[in-house]
C-alpha cells in the first residue's frame, strides 16, 4: 500500500474532506468526465441496465461502417438523442466543476460526453475527447455545420457538396480527434491529481488516461455510484454517490 492510501485509511477525516484537502493542496488538478455526470441532467448513460446500449446495439448504431451503410436508420436515432441533449441543462456537478475552475483548482476537463454541458455551465478549458453533438461534419469535404443550420425534416442531412453529414462525434471505428488526443495527453502529463467522475472507464483510449496519470505520479479521486475497474487498482479516494451530490459537498468543503 502506498503512503497516501495508508495515511488516508488512518485519517479520521471523511472521504470528501480528505478529497477536498487533496484538491486544495494539488498543483495541477484535472477532471475526466463520463456519461454519469450528465445523468442528473436527463441524459442516459451507455452501459448499465437503463443504458443506451441496452436499447441500441452499438455495433449497429454507433459504428462508422453502419452509419455509412444506412445513414437514414442511424440519423433517426441521432435526431432522438439530439432532442434529449438539446433539452438538457447543466446540473450542480457541471456548475461545481466550472466554479472550481474559476477558483483556480481545476485546470482542465477532459470529457467523453458530447452534450456540451460543461461548456454550458461555464467551464472554459474543456477537451472534447469524443467530439460534440451540436456540430455536424461532412464526411466528404470536412465542412462543419452547427446543428441549428440543419433542416431537421430531412431524413439524412447533406452538405452543400452533397456529402453525407454526420454528428461531429466519435463513432466506433473512428479515431479520437488528434488535437483532443494531444491536449488530453499534455494535461495528463501535467497533472498531479485527477478526478474521474461518472465514467465506467471501459472505453479505450479514454480509460487509459487515469492509468497514465497514475503512472506519472498523480493521485486519483473517483466519483461514481458504483465501483469500476479503476477503484481497486489506482483510485486513492473513492467517493460513492451521485456526481451532483458529491461535487456539491466537495465545493462546500473547499470553500
Ligand atoms: P458509461 O455508460 O460506460 O458509464 C457511466 C458511469 O457513470 C457508470 O460507471 C455509472 O456507475 C456512473 N453513473 C451513473 N449515474 C451516475 C451519477 N448520477 N453520478 C455519478 N456516476 C454515475 O459511460 P462512459 O464511461 O462515459 O463513447 O462511456 C464512455 C464512452 O462509451 C462514451 O463516451 C461513449 C460510449 O461508447 C462514444 O460514443 C465514442
Amino acid at each position: 500500500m502506498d503512503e497516501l492510501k495508508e495515511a488516508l485509511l488512518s485519517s479520521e477525516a471523511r472521504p470528501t474532506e480528505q478529497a477536498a484537502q487533496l484538491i486544495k493542496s494539488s498543483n495541477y488538478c484535472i477532471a475526466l468526465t463520463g456519461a454519469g455526470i450528465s445523468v442528473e441532467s436527463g441524459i442516459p448513460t451507455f452501459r448499465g441496465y437503463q443504458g443506451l446500449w441496452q436499447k441500441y446495439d452499438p455495433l449497429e448504431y454507433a459504428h462508422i461502417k453502419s452509419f455509412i451503410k444506412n445513414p437514414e436508420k442511424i440519423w433517426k436515432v441521432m435526431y432522438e438523442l439530439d432532442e434529449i441533449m438539446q433539452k438538457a441543462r447543466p446540473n450542480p456537478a457541471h456548475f461545481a466543476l466550472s466554479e472550481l475552475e474559476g477558483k483556480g483548482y481545476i485546470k482542465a476537463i477532459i470529457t467523453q460526453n458530447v452534450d456540451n454541458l460543461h461548456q454550458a455551465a461555464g467551464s472554459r478549458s474543456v477537451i472534447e475527447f469524443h467530439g460534440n453533438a451540436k456540430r455536424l461534419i461532412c464526411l466528404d469535404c470536412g465542412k462543419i455545420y452547427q446543428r441549428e443550420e440543419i433542416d431537421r425534416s430531412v431524413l439524412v442531412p447533406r452538405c452543400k457538396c452533397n456529402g453525407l453529414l454526420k454528428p461531429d462525434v466519435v463513432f466506433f471505428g473512428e479515431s479520437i480527434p488528434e488535437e483532443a488526443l494531444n491536449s488530453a495527453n499534455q494535461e495528463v502529463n501535467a497533472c498531479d491529481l485527477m478526478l474521474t467522475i461518472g465514467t465506467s472507464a471501459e472505453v479505450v483510449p479514454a480509460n487509459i488516461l487515469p492509468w497514465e496519470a497514475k503512472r506519472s505520479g498523480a493521485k486519483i479521486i473517483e466519483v461514481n455510484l458504483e465501483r469500476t475497474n479503476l477503484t481497486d487498482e489506482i483510485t486513492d479516494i473513492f467517493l460513492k454517490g451521485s456526481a451532483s451530490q458529491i461535487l456539491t459537498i466537495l465545493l462546500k468543503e473547499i470553500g
Side-chain angles (χ1 to χ4, degrees):
M1 193 181 315
D2 68 27
E3 268 174 42
L4 177 76
K5 264 198 177 150
E6 228 172 306
L8 292 174
L9 283 174
S10 62
S11 157
E12 283 180 10
R14 287 172 291 114
T16 47
E17 215 175 307
Q18 296 172 353
Q21 283 306 329
L22 211 50
I23 294 171
K24 278 170 97 168
S25 61
S26 67
N27 288 320
Y28 203 99
C29 174
I30 66 170
L32 170 69
T33 65
I37 197 172
S38 295
V39 164
E40 290 156 282
S41 297
I43 302 177
T45 59
F46 295 92
R47 291 165 191 83
Y49 100 107
Q50 280 186 325
L52 279 174
W53 296 157
Q54 293 293 324
K55 195 169 166 196
Y56 302 110
D57 175 355
L59 282 185
E60 204 181 327
Y61 286 92
H63 200 286
I64 187 66
K65 282 189 184 159
S66 325
F67 179 75
I68 290 166
K69 201 164 146 199
N70 196 344
E72 191 173 323
K73 175 173 154 183
I74 282 126
W75 260 111
K76 194 164 173 274
V77 175
M78 290 297 152
Y79 279 140
E80 266 175 44
L81 296 179
D82 199 46
E83 291 267 308
I84 298 175
M85 276 192 263
Q86 284 206 61
K87 283 191 199 126
R89 296 291 171 267
N91 67 52
H94 297 104
F95 285 118
L97 283 181
S98 162
E99 206 171 323
L100 288 174
E101 184 186 21
K103 287 173 186 278
Y105 290 119
I106 297 271
K107 306 295 186 207
I109 298 171
I110 303 167
T111 188
Q112 297 163 85
N113 301 341
V114 298
D115 54 29
N116 203 51
L117 290 179
H118 287 301
Q119 296 87 333
S123 286
R124 295 159 70 92
S125 179
V126 182
I127 297 170
E128 298 171 341
F129 207 73
H130 288 163
N132 191 319
K134 76 181 171 69
R135 299 187 299 264
L136 293 90
I137 184 165
C138 172
L139 289 184
D140 283 355
C141 71
K143 184 172 162 56
I144 297 280
Y145 292 81
Q146 299 302 311
R147 62 151 78 96
E148 299 77 37
E149 298 177 69
I150 300 305
D151 174 3
R152 297 171 74 84
S153 64
V154 177
L155 291 180
V156 177
R158 290 201 170 264
C159 179
K160 286 195 181 91
C161 79
N162 203 36
L164 194 55
L165 288 181
K166 180 187 86 81
D168 192 12
V169 303
V170 176
F171 277 47
F172 287 107
E174 289 189 303
S175 317
I176 304 300
E178 201 179 324
E179 203 187 317
L181 190 61
N182 290 340
S183 312
N185 283 331
Q186 264 177 24
E187 295 298 339
V188 165
N189 288 330
C191 78
D192 61 352
L193 179 62
M194 178 188 271
L195 311 181
T196 73
I197 306 168
T199 177
S200 63
E202 286 192 16
V203 173
V204 281
N207 66 348
I208 299 169
L209 300 174
W211 291 86
E212 277 298 313
K214 184 77 180 183
R215 203 176 55 84
S216 52
K219 305 295 176 208
I220 310 290
I221 296 174
E222 184 178 12
V223 178
N224 203 308
L225 288 179
E226 47 194 51
R227 302 175 84 78
T228 69
N229 52 29
L230 302 178
T231 318
D232 295 323
E233 301 293 332
I234 56 169
T235 298
D236 294 288
I237 302 180
F238 180 63
L239 302 176
K240 184 175 166 60
S242 82
S244 68
Q245 176 201 8
I246 301 285
L247 266 295
T248 303
I249 297 173
L250 282 181
L251 188 61
K252 213 166 146 205
E253 303 264 8
I254 289 166

